[in-house]
């Protein structure tokens, strides 16, 4: 039908055209296609405003102290937790039926984006327990899931080892059956938040299968309480990124656990991991966007106020074009991240999109922080400004939760597999 021609016809014909368009729209909606809205709803904007205000008022004031000491005072951490609970945002990534706020993936990405503006050592106490705890069953629900959602217990996820980072199946930390129990031996490192954790969610090898490509380890997930005999948590390494947000070493020396401590199924660690953990890459992407926007604000304001040769440096094309490029990249990363979260909410496959978001957002953050430092010149490297902190903190984002190289592998594999390559 030539609608251009119809536009010159009588009103009746125009009404017919409108009716036909409406019918086509209803057809596509009935076929399962939904409109994608690029703006936020009133409720979503309220989430953004609430969390941003919280970060500005409850996180920013303590950042300098944490940066200097490398510690979060216990009273400060507890105060952040209590204020988060009063806001109704503690464990907001959990469904309402277990006591969480029930935010969907998109809404939770908005929360993480705003938290990304602040110090990770402090926003840690905003409280987002690992979603993997939804795999709890029977007595585990009352012992771990519900206390974690209520903020009565804190968890730490333990997967990485010295020889098993991206290659999870290379882990040497293992558990063997002994009667009705399991005996764990080995170590984990780079475990964030373990100094505050009441229990750890630990992935260990529990067997090995022979495959055409060689031995393949079976992985099982365990819930291990702090204070369990044979389980030690000690200080890890000093990192240049995210001071105060410590990484710890977990050691297991004949640590005996009953079978009831298995999370999910025996040898089902990868199933649990793939069900609940792969979307954590959205968190890293979202936080990178939030941190980049805060960093950009410094660059923009400095460009408008710092004068050289009798005018604001933002008047010079060398600076103004950098601002334009920075904002374009930040917006692109933002939409890419929110789109990947939207796909999850729509029940669509999102593995490649999440990898793209994590890859692009973290590398964008590196460029934005570096450019912001360059715009500030020598002062950007001074601890009087937070710019050098943003620059240092940005470096780790391209490593944890899957390196940039791993994300590129995921993306390229998704593209080539359908072609048989």
């Amino acid at each position: 039908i030539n609608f251009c021609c119809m536009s010159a016809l009588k009103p009746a014909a125009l009404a017919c055209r409108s009716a036909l368009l409406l019918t086509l729209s209803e057809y596509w909606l009935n076929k399962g296609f939904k409109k994608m809205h690029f703006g936020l709803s009133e409720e979503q904007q309220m989430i953004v405003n609430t969390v941003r205000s919280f970060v500005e008022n409850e996180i920013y004031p303590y950042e300098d102290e944490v940066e200097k000491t490398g510690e979060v005072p216990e009273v400060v951490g507890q105060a952040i937790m209590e204020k988060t609970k009063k806001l109704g945002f503690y464990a907001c990534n959990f469904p309402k039926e277990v006591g969480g706020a029930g935010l969907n993936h998109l809404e939770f990405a908005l929360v993480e984006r705003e938290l990304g503006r602040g110090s990770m050592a402090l926003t840690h106490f905003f409280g987002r327990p690992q979603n993997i705890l939804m795999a709890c069953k029977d007595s585990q629900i009352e012992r771990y899931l519900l206390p974690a959602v209520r903020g009565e217990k804190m968890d730490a996820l333990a997967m990485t080892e010295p020889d098993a980072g991206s290659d999870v199946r290379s882990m040497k930390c293992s558990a063997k059956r002994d009667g009705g129990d399991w005996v764990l031996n080995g170590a984990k490192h780079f475990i964030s938040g373990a100094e505050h954790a009441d229990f750890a969610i630990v992935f260990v090898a529990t067997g090995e299968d022979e495959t055409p490509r060689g031995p393949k380890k079976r992985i099982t997930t365990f819930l291990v309480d702090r204070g369990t005999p044979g389980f030690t948590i000690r200080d890890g390494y000093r990192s240049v990124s995210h001071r105060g947000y410590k990484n710890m070493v977990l050691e297991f020396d004949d640590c005996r656990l009953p079978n009831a401590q298995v999370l999910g199924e025996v040898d089902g660690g990868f199933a649990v991991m793939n069900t609940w953990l792969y979307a954590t890459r959205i968190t890293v992407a979202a936080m990178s966007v939030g941190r980049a926007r805060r960093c950009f604000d410094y660059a923009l304001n400095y460009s408008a106020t710092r004068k050289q040769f009798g005018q604001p440096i933002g008047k010079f094309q060398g600076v103004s074009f950098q601002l334009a490029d920075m904002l374009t990249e930040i917006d692109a990363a933002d939409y890419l991240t929110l789109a990947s979260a939207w796909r999850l909410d729509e029940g669509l496959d999102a593995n490649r999109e999440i990898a793209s978001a994590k890859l692009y957002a973290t590398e964008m953050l590196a460029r934005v922080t570096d450019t912001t430092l360059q715009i500030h010149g020598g002062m950007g490297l001074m601890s009087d400004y937070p710019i050098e902190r943003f620059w240092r903190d940005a470096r780790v984002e391209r490593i944890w939760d899957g390196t940039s190289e791993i994300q590129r592998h995921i993306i390229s594999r998704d593209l080539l597999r359908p072609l048989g390559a």
Side-chain angles (χ1 to χ4, degrees):
I1 300 174
N2 191 330
F3 289 119
C4 294
C5 295
M6 288 183 65
S7 63
L9 300 180
K10 296 180 179 180
L14 294 175
C16 178
R17 180 184 68 171
S18 298
L20 181 57
L21 287 172
L22 181 60
T23 301
L24 289 171
S25 176
E26 290 176 345
Y27 170 78
W28 286 115
L29 287 174
N30 289 335
K31 293 288 285 184
F33 291 88
K34 296 184 179 181
K35 294 180 181 178
M36 182 184 292
H37 300 283
F38 287 92
L40 301 182
S41 67
E42 184 176 343
E43 182 179 342
Q44 290 168 338
Q45 189 60 55
M46 187 179 299
I47 291 172
V48 169
N49 294 341
T50 301
V51 179
R52 183 176 301 180
S53 177
F54 185 94
V55 171
E56 292 173 347
N57 292 294
E58 306 298 339
I59 303 297
Y60 286 2
Y62 300 104
E63 288 184 336
D64 286 344
E65 179 182 359
V66 171
E67 188 66 19
K68 291 174 183 177
T69 65
E71 302 284 344
V72 177
E74 184 177 351
V75 64
V76 172
Q78 289 301 313
I80 293 172
M81 286 183 67
E82 293 306 317
K83 290 174 182 177
T84 304
K85 292 174 186 177
K86 288 181 180 178
L87 276 180
F89 274 91
Y90 200 91
C92 60
N93 52 325
F94 279 74
K96 291 181 179 179
E97 53 263 33
V98 298
L103 300 187
N104 61 27
H105 289 95
L106 175 57
E107 292 162 347
F108 185 56
L110 294 174
V111 171
E112 292 287 9
R113 188 183 72 184
E114 299 310 312
L115 291 176
R117 292 173 173 267
S119 161
M120 283 193 71
L122 292 161
T123 58
H124 172 70
F125 294 94
F126 196 86
R128 291 92 76 210
Q130 297 290 338
N131 279 101
I132 197 172
L133 290 174
M134 287 299 294
C136 284
K137 56 188 178 184
D138 303 327
S139 63
Q140 295 174 349
I141 295 173
E142 291 292 338
R143 288 186 61 195
Y144 299 103
L145 172 59
L146 298 182
V149 171
R150 293 193 293 259
E152 297 166 359
K153 288 185 177 182
M154 297 188 78
D155 64 86
L157 188 70
M159 191 180 302
T160 305
E161 299 178 13
D163 295 319
S166 299
D167 183 9
V168 178
R169 290 195 187 273
S170 291
M171 64 176 58
K172 296 178 181 177
C173 188
S174 63
K176 294 183 178 180
R177 283 192 180 276
D178 184 18
D181 295 338
W182 293 88
V183 179
L184 277 62
N185 282 286
K188 300 288 181 179
H189 74 166
F190 295 156
I191 310 305
S192 304
E195 74 272 30
H196 306 296
D198 297 286
F199 66 95
I201 305 165
V202 187
F203 290 79
V204 300
T206 47
E208 195 171 79
D209 294 321
E210 290 297 331
T211 72
R213 300 178 63 181
K216 183 178 180 181
K217 288 183 179 178
R218 300 193 297 269
I219 307 297
T220 301
T221 314
F222 290 88
L223 298 165
V224 188
D225 293 311
R226 177 187 286 273
T228 300
F231 175 36
T232 304
I233 302 174
R234 64 175 178 84
D235 289 343
Y237 316 94
R238 295 184 62 183
S239 173
V240 300
S241 296
H242 301 300
R243 287 178 181 162
Y245 187 66
K246 298 182 179 181
N247 66 87
M248 309 296 284
V249 173
L250 276 53
E251 297 174 333
F252 303 92
D253 184 11
D254 287 338
C255 178
R256 184 174 291 271
L257 298 173
N259 202 57
Q261 298 305 108
V262 173
L263 181 64
E265 302 297 329
V266 173
D267 298 334
F270 269 97
V272 174
M273 190 188 310
N274 292 333
T275 300
W276 299 107
L277 291 184
Y278 80 103
T280 58
R281 288 173 290 160
I282 294 179
T283 294
V284 179
M287 295 186 78
S288 295
V289 171
R291 199 166 300 126
R293 288 205 185 278
R294 183 182 178 188
C295 203
F296 174 80
D297 288 343
Y298 277 94
L300 181 62
N301 291 327
Y302 193 78
S303 299
T305 57
R306 169 66 168 166
K307 291 186 177 180
Q308 289 285 277
F309 306 103
Q311 61 182 337
I313 62 173
K315 290 282 189 179
F316 299 107
Q317 190 177 89
V319 174
S320 63
F321 278 20
Q322 288 185 86
L323 293 173
D325 289 343
M326 289 162 69
L327 187 62
T328 300
E329 287 198 61
I330 293 171
D331 284 345
D334 200 359
Y335 281 119
L336 190 59
T337 301
L338 296 181
S340 67
W342 174 84
R343 288 184 66 87
L344 283 182
D345 289 331
E346 294 297 313
L348 302 172
D349 181 73
N351 195 38
R352 177 180 63 79
E353 288 79 5
I354 292 172
S356 295
K358 201 275 184 183
L359 171 65
Y360 186 77
T362 56
E363 298 200 344
M364 171 277 297
L365 177 62
R367 292 188 290 270
V368 167
T369 53
D370 191 76
T371 302
T372 298
L373 194 152
Q374 187 72 18
I375 288 173
H376 280 77
M379 287 306 298
L381 287 167
M382 303 300 114
S383 58
D384 301 69
Y385 285 81
I387 309 304
E388 58 90 19
R389 169 164 65 88
F390 298 147
W391 184 56
R392 283 187 286 103
D393 290 350
R395 189 58 186 90
V396 73
E397 309 301 340
R398 288 174 280 165
I399 296 175
W400 59 14
D401 279 282
T403 63
S404 290
E405 291 74 21
I406 289 294
Q407 306 310 320
R408 287 185 168 92
H409 174 69
I410 293 171
I411 296 165
S412 59
R413 185 179 59 187
D414 188 86
L415 295 173
L416 292 168
R417 269 185 175 172
L419 304 178

